């Protein structure tokens, strides 16, 4: 009941400040970038102010209550509610342990676009991977096998940016990417390509050899072209010259 009331109060305040014209403009812009969100139309300053007003209430909740509230916010499909959920998760990160991963699994069921998925990877699963590598890898493997395309994308984009560039998780990244090379979802394949591109920065020879093998197998160019975005000149031409081997 407390969570329901808190959520209703947040929604009421968002609706009170809603700007239908800005909301329509933001929704149209998001659709151009394939982001499935609706908006209340609040400015960034107003939204940040509103979130700050509630942070004291959030901190007084038990961690599991915060997780349930995040689910409610995420499942709304409203960008400003998702922003509230993002803040709660970031502020709770130091308390999250592997025993809480079942709650994160339920929260990721509510992901509905690549923007929120990639945010979750960079701000939640990447820090957890560094803190609890064995348990987080197990969690990512479960996401990798999910019927939810956003969970599958999350399982590989966790290995982008500094995680990929570190070279510390090359074997694990390649294993999870390999499970998805025949995936038919465009945004999952792009996630695989992105993970390979950034992981190549940390372990070039191994990942480059793997990408070459993907071209020989006839894997979608959505993956391989994304993976070699950093390559220039002859090195790039050499990979592009690799053709599918006839069986």
């Amino acid at each position: 009941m407390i969570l329901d009331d808190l959520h209703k109060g947040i929604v009421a305040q968002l609706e009170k400040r809603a700007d239908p014209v800005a909301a329509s403009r933001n929704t149209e812009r998001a659709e151009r970038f394939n982001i499935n969100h609706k908006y209340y139309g609040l400015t960034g300053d107003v939204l940040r102010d509103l979130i700050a007003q509630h942070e004291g209430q959030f901190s007084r909740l038990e961690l599991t209550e915060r997780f349930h509230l995040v689910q409610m916010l995420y499942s709304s499909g409203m960008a400003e509610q998702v922003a509230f959920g993002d803040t709660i998760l970031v502020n709770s990160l130091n308390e999250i342990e592997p025993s809480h991963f079942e709650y994160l699994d339920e929260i990721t069921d509510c992901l509905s676009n690549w923007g929120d998925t990639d945010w979750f990877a960079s701000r939640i699963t990447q820090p957890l991977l560094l803190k609890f590598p064995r348990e987080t890898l197990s969690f990512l493997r479960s996401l990798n096998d999910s019927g939810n395309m956003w969970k599958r994308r999350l399982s590989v984009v966790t290995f982008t940016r500094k995680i990929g560039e570190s070279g510390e998780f090359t074997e694990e990244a390649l294993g999870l990417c390999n499970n998805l090379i025949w995936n038919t979802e465009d945004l999952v394949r792009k996630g695989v390509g992105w993970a390979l591109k950034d992981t190549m920065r940390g372990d070039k020879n191994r990942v480059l050899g793997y990408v070459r093998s993907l071209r020989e197998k006839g894997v979608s160019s959505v993956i391989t072209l994304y993976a070699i975005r950093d390559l220039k000149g002859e090195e790039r031409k050499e990979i592009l010259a690799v053709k599918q081997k006839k069986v």
Side-chain angles (χ1 to χ4, degrees), residues 5 8 12 17 29 39 49 55 70 90 98 100 105 111-112 126 161 163 173 179 189 191 213 234 247:
D5 290 344
K8 287 176 182 176
R17 294 163 175 78
R29 185 185 301 119
Y39 293 79
D49 235 23
E55 286 188 278
V70 171
V90 168
H100 302 121
D105 186 56
L111 294 171
S112 61
Q126 286 187 349
R161 302 188 176 99
I163 293 291
N179 291 340
R189 291 187 295 194
S213 75
E234 290 302 316
V247 179

Side-chain angles (χ1 to χ4, degrees), residues 159-177:
F159 297 93
T160 59
R161 302 188 176 99
K162 291 183 179 180
I163 293 291
E165 293 166 6
S166 72
E168 187 178 349
F169 298 100
T170 302
E171 182 175 352
E172 293 82 2
L174 291 182
L176 292 172
C177 285

